[in-house]
Amino acid sequence: MVSQIAPMLREFMQKESAGGITLIFAAFAALIVANSPLLGAYRAWLDIPIVAGFGGFVIEKPLLLWVNDGLMAVFFFLIGLEVKREVLDGQLSSWDKASLPLVAAIGGMAIPAIVYLAINSGTPENTAGWAIPAATDIAFALGILALLGPRVPVALKALLLAIAVIDDIGAITIIALFYTGEIDTTYLIMGGVVFLLMLAIGRMRVASAIPYVLLAILMWAFILKSGVHATLAGVAAALTVPMVARNGELPLEHMEHALHPWVAFLVIPIFGFANAGVTLLGLDPMDALAPLPLGIALGLLIGKQVGILGFAWLAVKTRIASLPQGVSWRQIHGLSLFAAIGFTMSLFIGNLAFVSAEQVDAVKLGVLSGSTIAAITGFFLLRSALPTAEEAQAMTDPEAKAVPAE
């Protein structure tokens, strides 16, 4: 089983890295459009009303919300599959593997929230955004990390992946507990009945993806109408998919591999393009120092470094966890900045936390500025902390000649 995990991890990272680079281009395209004569068409496109339903059951939302509530449910379904696999047979399957990323991720969520609340203590209307800087965008982070090539130790990539998975679990929990509005219990019960049916199918270890997909769509519609954020239906549906079916097939692995290209190269780039468009024309530099964007930017930049690096150091010093072999503290520091790239999930939570256009634009400004600075700083910091190409080859190839010390 161990021999199967390494190729799966490499394949996952390759797809996430390529998807992250695609996301960068999508976000950049949104910024160009939002600061060009196409701004009006861009906003009109996001406001296109779309209606779907059957009989008296109707869902009517603008295109932007179909992207954020519909397409992102597919993203969260994939997250649910990844979380289940990592817990049962991956980087989180034992305490030895999970202890360091768990402690680091807790610090990486708690400290950014504290930094944000401290900066926004005088603006109570902004406190709902406390969870925005707590998120990590694994696709974006691995996309930037890919630019450093094979010099990056696999153990460091695995640690970043594990932290991001735990971060996703935290974000899902936060959305469920703090960003759910009024609840329609009838639709919620109907969604719960569908979930129980999916659990029963999963316990029967049915291999075909068809019943899971059809019932997941039905549960998504009921959960959406209930008032609970519909993306949580994606996570709940994923948890019902079995690792191994009765006939020996691997339905969870098959679904995960089938969904990865669609999420990496379609769902996430569309979300990025639809949500990253912030107008910078006429923007005063002091606008970035307003409590809301500043709290997000510093929550990402300072909070993630202090939280991840600080909590990881405490975990190792107290022997709760151990540092992976071949990974240095400077590399962990660089990793903490890559984890400060909060783009997708931060924007997503920002859309849940605020409704006013001014606050949403401020969120975009804070997320974009903080994530951009974190990506650039983390890239150069980690590059200086990594071994040279020759040293990396020597570490991976036992027959390679040792590089003489200068």
Side-chain angles (χ1 to χ4, degrees), residues 217-274:
I217 294 173
L218 184 61
M219 180 168 64
W220 171 84
F222 287 150
I223 296 298
L224 179 66
K225 296 289 280 187
S226 75
V228 176
H229 203 276
T231 52
L232 299 178
V235 178
L239 298 181
T240 68
V241 179
M243 291 279 289
V244 182
R246 274 182 320 211
N247 60 4
E249 292 185 17
L250 307 174
L252 187 146
E253 181 180 330
H254 292 164
M255 288 189 196
E256 188 178 351
H257 288 181
L259 276 178
H260 253 303
W262 292 99
V263 171
F265 298 109
L266 183 67
V267 173
I268 294 302
I270 289 176
F271 174 84
F273 182 75

Coordinates of all heavy atoms in Angstrom, one line a residue, residues 217-274:
I217 N -26.6 15.3 -6.4 CA -27.2 16.5 -7.0 C -28.6 16.8 -6.3 O -28.9 17.9 -6.0 CB -27.5 16.2 -8.5 CG1 -26.1 16.1 -9.2 CG2 -28.3 17.3 -9.1 CD1 -26.2 15.7 -10.6
L218 N -29.3 15.7 -6.0 CA -30.6 15.9 -5.3 C -30.4 16.5 -3.9 O -31.1 17.4 -3.5 CB -31.3 14.5 -5.2 CG -32.7 14.5 -4.6 CD1 -33.7 15.4 -5.4 CD2 -33.3 13.1 -4.5
M219 N -29.4 15.9 -3.2 CA -29.1 16.4 -1.8 C -28.7 17.9 -1.9 O -29.1 18.7 -1.0 CB -28.1 15.6 -1.1 CG -27.7 16.0 0.3 SD -26.8 14.9 1.2 CE -25.2 14.8 0.3
W220 N -27.8 18.2 -2.9 CA -27.4 19.6 -3.1 C -28.6 20.5 -3.2 O -28.6 21.6 -2.6 CB -26.5 19.7 -4.3 CG -26.1 21.1 -4.7 CD1 -25.2 21.9 -4.1 CD2 -26.8 21.9 -5.6 NE1 -25.2 23.1 -4.7 CE2 -26.2 23.2 -5.6 CE3 -27.9 21.7 -6.5 CZ2 -26.6 24.2 -6.5 CZ3 -28.3 22.7 -7.3 CH2 -27.7 24.0 -7.3
A221 N -29.6 20.2 -4.0 CA -30.7 21.0 -4.2 C -31.5 21.2 -2.9 O -31.9 22.3 -2.6 CB -31.6 20.4 -5.3
F222 N -31.7 20.1 -2.2 CA -32.5 20.3 -0.9 C -31.7 21.1 0.1 O -32.3 21.9 0.8 CB -32.7 18.9 -0.4 CG -33.8 18.1 -1.1 CD1 -33.7 16.7 -1.2 CD2 -34.8 18.7 -1.8 CE1 -34.7 16.0 -1.9 CE2 -35.8 18.0 -2.5 CZ -35.7 16.6 -2.5
I223 N -30.4 20.9 0.2 CA -29.6 21.6 1.2 C -29.6 23.1 0.8 O -29.7 24.0 1.6 CB -28.2 21.1 1.2 CG1 -28.2 19.6 1.8 CG2 -27.3 22.0 2.1 CD1 -28.7 19.5 3.2
L224 N -29.5 23.4 -0.5 CA -29.5 24.8 -1.0 C -30.8 25.5 -0.6 O -30.8 26.6 -0.1 CB -29.3 24.8 -2.5 CG -29.4 26.2 -3.1 CD1 -28.2 27.1 -2.7 CD2 -29.4 26.1 -4.7
K225 N -31.9 24.8 -0.8 CA -33.2 25.4 -0.4 C -33.4 25.5 1.1 O -34.2 26.3 1.6 CB -34.3 24.6 -1.0 CG -34.3 24.5 -2.6 CD -34.7 25.9 -3.2 CE -36.2 26.0 -3.1 NZ -36.7 27.2 -3.9
S226 N -32.7 24.7 1.9 CA -32.8 24.7 3.3 C -32.2 25.9 4.0 O -32.6 26.2 5.1 CB -32.2 23.4 3.9 OG -30.8 23.5 3.9
G227 N -31.2 26.5 3.3 CA -30.6 27.7 3.9 C -29.2 27.4 4.4 O -28.4 28.3 4.6
V228 N -28.9 26.1 4.6 CA -27.5 25.7 4.9 C -26.7 25.8 3.6 O -27.2 25.5 2.5 CB -27.4 24.2 5.4 CG1 -26.0 23.7 5.6 CG2 -28.2 24.1 6.7
H229 N -25.4 26.2 3.7 CA -24.7 26.5 2.4 C -24.5 25.2 1.7 O -24.1 24.1 2.2 CB -23.3 27.1 2.7 CG -22.8 27.8 1.5 ND1 -22.2 27.1 0.5 CD2 -22.9 29.1 1.1 CE1 -21.9 28.0 -0.5 NE2 -22.3 29.2 -0.1
A230 N -24.9 25.2 0.4 CA -25.1 24.0 -0.4 C -23.7 23.3 -0.7 O -23.7 22.1 -1.0 CB -25.7 24.3 -1.7
T231 N -22.6 24.0 -0.6 CA -21.3 23.3 -0.8 C -21.0 22.2 0.2 O -20.3 21.3 -0.1 CB -20.2 24.3 -0.8 OG1 -20.3 25.1 0.3 CG2 -20.3 25.3 -2.1
L232 N -21.7 22.4 1.4 CA -21.5 21.3 2.4 C -22.1 20.0 2.0 O -21.6 19.0 2.4 CB -22.1 21.8 3.7 CG -21.5 23.1 4.3 CD1 -22.2 23.5 5.6 CD2 -20.0 22.9 4.6
A233 N -23.1 20.1 1.1 CA -23.6 18.8 0.6 C -22.6 18.1 -0.2 O -22.6 16.8 -0.2 CB -24.8 19.1 -0.3
G234 N -21.7 18.8 -0.9 CA -20.6 18.1 -1.6 C -19.7 17.3 -0.7 O -19.4 16.2 -1.0
V235 N -19.4 17.9 0.4 CA -18.5 17.2 1.4 C -19.2 16.0 2.0 O -18.7 14.9 2.0 CB -18.1 18.2 2.5 CG1 -17.2 17.4 3.5 CG2 -17.3 19.3 2.0
A236 N -20.5 16.2 2.4 CA -21.3 15.1 3.0 C -21.4 13.9 2.0 O -21.3 12.8 2.3 CB -22.6 15.6 3.4
A237 N -21.7 14.3 0.7 CA -21.8 13.2 -0.3 C -20.5 12.4 -0.5 O -20.6 11.2 -0.6 CB -22.3 13.8 -1.6
A238 N -19.4 13.1 -0.5 CA -18.1 12.5 -0.7 C -17.8 11.5 0.4 O -17.2 10.4 0.1 CB -17.0 13.5 -0.8
L239 N -18.2 11.8 1.6 CA -17.9 10.9 2.7 C -18.7 9.6 2.7 O -18.3 8.6 3.4 CB -18.3 11.6 4.1 CG -17.5 12.9 4.3 CD1 -17.8 13.5 5.7 CD2 -16.0 12.6 4.3
T240 N -19.7 9.5 1.8 CA -20.4 8.2 1.7 C -19.8 7.3 0.7 O -20.2 6.1 0.6 CB -21.9 8.5 1.3 OG1 -21.9 9.0 -0.1 CG2 -22.6 9.5 2.2
V241 N -18.9 7.7 -0.1 CA -18.3 6.9 -1.2 C -17.3 6.0 -0.6 O -16.3 6.4 0.1 CB -17.6 7.8 -2.2 CG1 -16.9 7.0 -3.3 CG2 -18.6 8.8 -2.9
P242 N -17.4 4.7 -0.8 CA -16.5 3.7 -0.2 C -15.1 3.7 -0.9 O -14.9 4.0 -2.0 CB -17.2 2.4 -0.4 CG -18.0 2.6 -1.7 CD -18.4 4.0 -1.6
M243 N -14.1 3.4 -0.1 CA -12.7 3.2 -0.6 C -12.6 2.0 -1.5 O -12.0 2.1 -2.6 CB -11.7 3.1 0.5 CG -11.5 4.3 1.4 SD -10.4 5.5 0.6 CE -8.8 4.6 0.8
V244 N -13.2 0.9 -1.1 CA -13.2 -0.4 -1.8 C -14.6 -0.9 -2.0 O -15.4 -1.0 -1.0 CB -12.3 -1.4 -1.2 CG1 -12.2 -2.7 -2.0 CG2 -10.9 -0.9 -0.9
A245 N -15.0 -1.2 -3.2 CA -16.3 -1.8 -3.5 C -16.4 -3.3 -3.3 O -15.3 -3.9 -3.1 CB -16.8 -1.4 -4.9
R246 N -17.6 -3.8 -3.4 CA -17.7 -5.3 -3.2 C -17.0 -6.1 -4.3 O -16.4 -7.1 -4.0 CB -19.2 -5.7 -3.4 CG -20.0 -5.6 -2.1 CD -21.4 -6.0 -2.3 NE -22.0 -5.6 -3.6 CZ -23.2 -5.3 -3.8 NH1 -24.1 -5.4 -2.8 NH2 -23.7 -4.9 -5.0
N247 N -16.9 -5.5 -5.5 CA -16.2 -6.2 -6.6 C -14.7 -6.0 -6.6 O -14.0 -6.3 -7.6 CB -16.8 -5.9 -7.9 CG -16.8 -4.4 -8.2 OD1 -16.2 -3.6 -7.5 ND2 -17.3 -4.0 -9.3
G248 N -14.2 -5.2 -5.6 CA -12.8 -5.0 -5.6 C -12.3 -3.7 -6.2 O -11.2 -3.3 -6.1
E249 N -13.3 -3.0 -6.9 CA -12.9 -1.7 -7.5 C -12.7 -0.7 -6.4 O -13.1 -0.8 -5.3 CB -14.0 -1.3 -8.5 CG -14.2 -2.1 -9.7 CD -15.2 -1.6 -10.7 OE1 -15.6 -0.4 -10.6 OE2 -15.6 -2.3 -11.6
L250 N -12.1 0.5 -6.8 CA -11.8 1.6 -5.9 C -12.6 2.8 -6.3 O -12.1 3.7 -7.0 CB -10.3 1.9 -5.9 CG -9.4 0.7 -5.7 CD1 -7.9 1.1 -5.9 CD2 -9.6 0.1 -4.3
P251 N -13.9 2.9 -5.9 CA -14.7 4.0 -6.4 C -14.3 5.4 -5.9 O -14.3 6.3 -6.7 CB -16.1 3.6 -5.8 CG -15.9 2.6 -4.7 CD -14.6 1.9 -5.1
L252 N -13.8 5.5 -4.7 CA -13.3 6.8 -4.2 C -12.1 7.3 -5.1 O -12.1 8.4 -5.5 CB -13.0 6.7 -2.7 CG -12.7 8.1 -2.1 CD1 -13.1 8.0 -0.6 CD2 -11.2 8.4 -2.1
E253 N -11.2 6.4 -5.3 CA -10.0 6.8 -6.1 C -10.4 7.1 -7.5 O -9.9 8.1 -8.1 CB -9.0 5.6 -6.0 CG -7.7 5.9 -6.8 CD -6.7 4.7 -6.8 OE1 -6.8 4.0 -5.8 OE2 -6.0 4.6 -7.7
H254 N -11.3 6.3 -8.1 CA -11.7 6.5 -9.5 C -12.4 7.9 -9.6 O -12.2 8.6 -10.5 CB -12.6 5.4 -9.9 CG -12.0 4.1 -10.1 ND1 -12.6 2.9 -10.2 CD2 -10.6 3.8 -10.1 CE1 -11.8 1.9 -10.3 NE2 -10.5 2.4 -10.3
M255 N -13.3 8.2 -8.6 CA -14.0 9.5 -8.7 C -13.1 10.6 -8.5 O -13.2 11.7 -9.2 CB -15.1 9.5 -7.6 CG -16.3 8.7 -7.9 SD -17.6 9.0 -6.7 CE -18.7 7.6 -6.9
E256 N -12.1 10.5 -7.6 CA -11.2 11.5 -7.3 C -10.3 11.8 -8.6 O -10.1 13.0 -9.0 CB -10.3 11.1 -6.2 CG -9.3 12.2 -5.7 CD -8.5 11.8 -4.5 OE1 -8.7 10.7 -4.0 OE2 -7.6 12.5 -4.1
H257 N -9.8 10.8 -9.2 CA -9.0 11.0 -10.4 C -9.8 11.5 -11.6 O -9.3 12.3 -12.4 CB -8.4 9.6 -10.8 CG -7.3 9.2 -9.9 ND1 -6.6 8.0 -10.1 CD2 -6.8 9.7 -8.8 CE1 -5.7 7.9 -9.1 NE2 -5.8 8.9 -8.3
A258 N -11.1 11.1 -11.7 CA -11.9 11.6 -12.8 C -12.3 13.1 -12.6 O -12.4 13.9 -13.6 CB -13.2 10.8 -12.9
L259 N -12.5 13.5 -11.3 CA -12.9 14.9 -11.1 C -11.7 15.9 -11.1 O -11.9 17.1 -11.4 CB -13.6 15.0 -9.7 CG -15.0 14.6 -9.6 CD1 -15.5 14.7 -8.2 CD2 -15.9 15.6 -10.5
H260 N -10.5 15.4 -10.8 CA -9.4 16.3 -10.6 C -9.2 17.3 -11.8 O -9.1 18.5 -11.7 CB -8.1 15.6 -10.3 CG -7.6 15.7 -8.9 ND1 -7.3 16.9 -8.4 CD2 -7.4 14.8 -8.0 CE1 -7.0 16.7 -7.1 NE2 -7.0 15.4 -6.8
P261 N -9.2 16.7 -13.1 CA -8.9 17.6 -14.2 C -10.1 18.7 -14.4 O -9.8 19.8 -14.7 CB -8.9 16.7 -15.4 CG -8.6 15.3 -14.8 CD -9.2 15.3 -13.5
W262 N -11.3 18.2 -14.1 CA -12.4 19.2 -14.3 C -12.4 20.3 -13.2 O -12.7 21.4 -13.5 CB -13.8 18.4 -14.2 CG -14.0 17.4 -15.3 CD1 -13.8 16.1 -15.3 CD2 -14.5 17.8 -16.6 NE1 -14.1 15.6 -16.6 CE2 -14.5 16.6 -17.4 CE3 -14.9 19.0 -17.2 CZ2 -14.9 16.6 -18.7 CZ3 -15.3 19.0 -18.5 CH2 -15.3 17.8 -19.2
V263 N -12.1 19.9 -12.0 CA -12.0 20.9 -10.9 C -10.8 21.8 -11.1 O -10.9 23.0 -11.0 CB -11.9 20.2 -9.5 CG1 -11.6 21.2 -8.5 CG2 -13.2 19.5 -9.2
A264 N -9.6 21.2 -11.5 CA -8.4 22.0 -11.6 C -8.4 22.9 -12.8 O -7.9 24.1 -12.7 CB -7.2 21.1 -11.7
F265 N -9.0 22.5 -13.9 CA -8.9 23.3 -15.1 C -10.2 23.9 -15.6 O -10.2 24.7 -16.6 CB -8.4 22.4 -16.3 CG -7.0 21.8 -16.0 CD1 -6.8 20.5 -15.7 CD2 -5.9 22.7 -16.0 CE1 -5.5 20.0 -15.4 CE2 -4.6 22.2 -15.7 CZ -4.5 20.8 -15.4
L266 N -11.3 23.7 -14.8 CA -12.5 24.3 -15.2 C -13.2 25.0 -14.0 O -13.4 26.2 -14.0 CB -13.5 23.3 -15.8 CG -14.8 23.8 -16.3 CD1 -14.6 24.8 -17.5 CD2 -15.8 22.7 -16.7
V267 N -13.5 24.2 -13.0 CA -14.3 24.8 -11.8 C -13.5 25.9 -11.1 O -14.1 27.0 -11.0 CB -14.6 23.6 -10.8 CG1 -15.2 24.2 -9.6 CG2 -15.6 22.6 -11.5
I268 N -12.3 25.6 -10.7 CA -11.5 26.6 -10.0 C -11.2 27.9 -10.8 O -11.3 29.0 -10.4 CB -10.3 26.0 -9.3 CG1 -10.7 25.0 -8.3 CG2 -9.4 27.1 -8.7 CD1 -11.6 25.5 -7.2
P269 N -10.7 27.7 -12.1 CA -10.5 28.9 -12.9 C -11.7 29.7 -13.1 O -11.6 31.0 -13.1 CB -9.9 28.3 -14.2 CG -9.3 27.0 -13.8 CD -10.2 26.5 -12.7
I270 N -12.9 29.1 -13.3 CA -14.1 29.9 -13.5 C -14.4 30.6 -12.2 O -14.8 31.8 -12.3 CB -15.3 28.9 -13.9 CG1 -15.1 28.4 -15.3 CG2 -16.6 29.7 -13.8 CD1 -16.2 27.4 -15.8
F271 N -14.3 30.0 -11.1 CA -14.5 30.6 -9.8 C -13.6 31.8 -9.7 O -14.0 32.9 -9.3 CB -14.3 29.7 -8.7 CG -14.4 30.3 -7.3 CD1 -15.6 30.6 -6.7 CD2 -13.2 30.8 -6.6 CE1 -15.7 31.2 -5.5 CE2 -13.3 31.4 -5.4 CZ -14.5 31.6 -4.8
G272 N -12.3 31.6 -10.0 CA -11.3 32.7 -9.9 C -11.6 33.8 -10.8 O -11.6 35.0 -10.4
F273 N -12.0 33.5 -12.0 CA -12.3 34.6 -13.0 C -13.6 35.4 -12.5 O -13.7 36.6 -12.7 CB -12.6 34.0 -14.4 CG -12.9 35.1 -15.4 CD1 -11.8 35.9 -15.9 CD2 -14.1 35.3 -15.9 CE1 -12.1 36.8 -16.9 CE2 -14.4 36.2 -16.8 CZ -13.4 37.0 -17.3
A274 N -14.6 34.7 -11.9 CA -15.8 35.3 -11.5 C -15.7 36.1 -10.3 O -16.4 37.1 -10.0 CB -16.9 34.2 -11.3

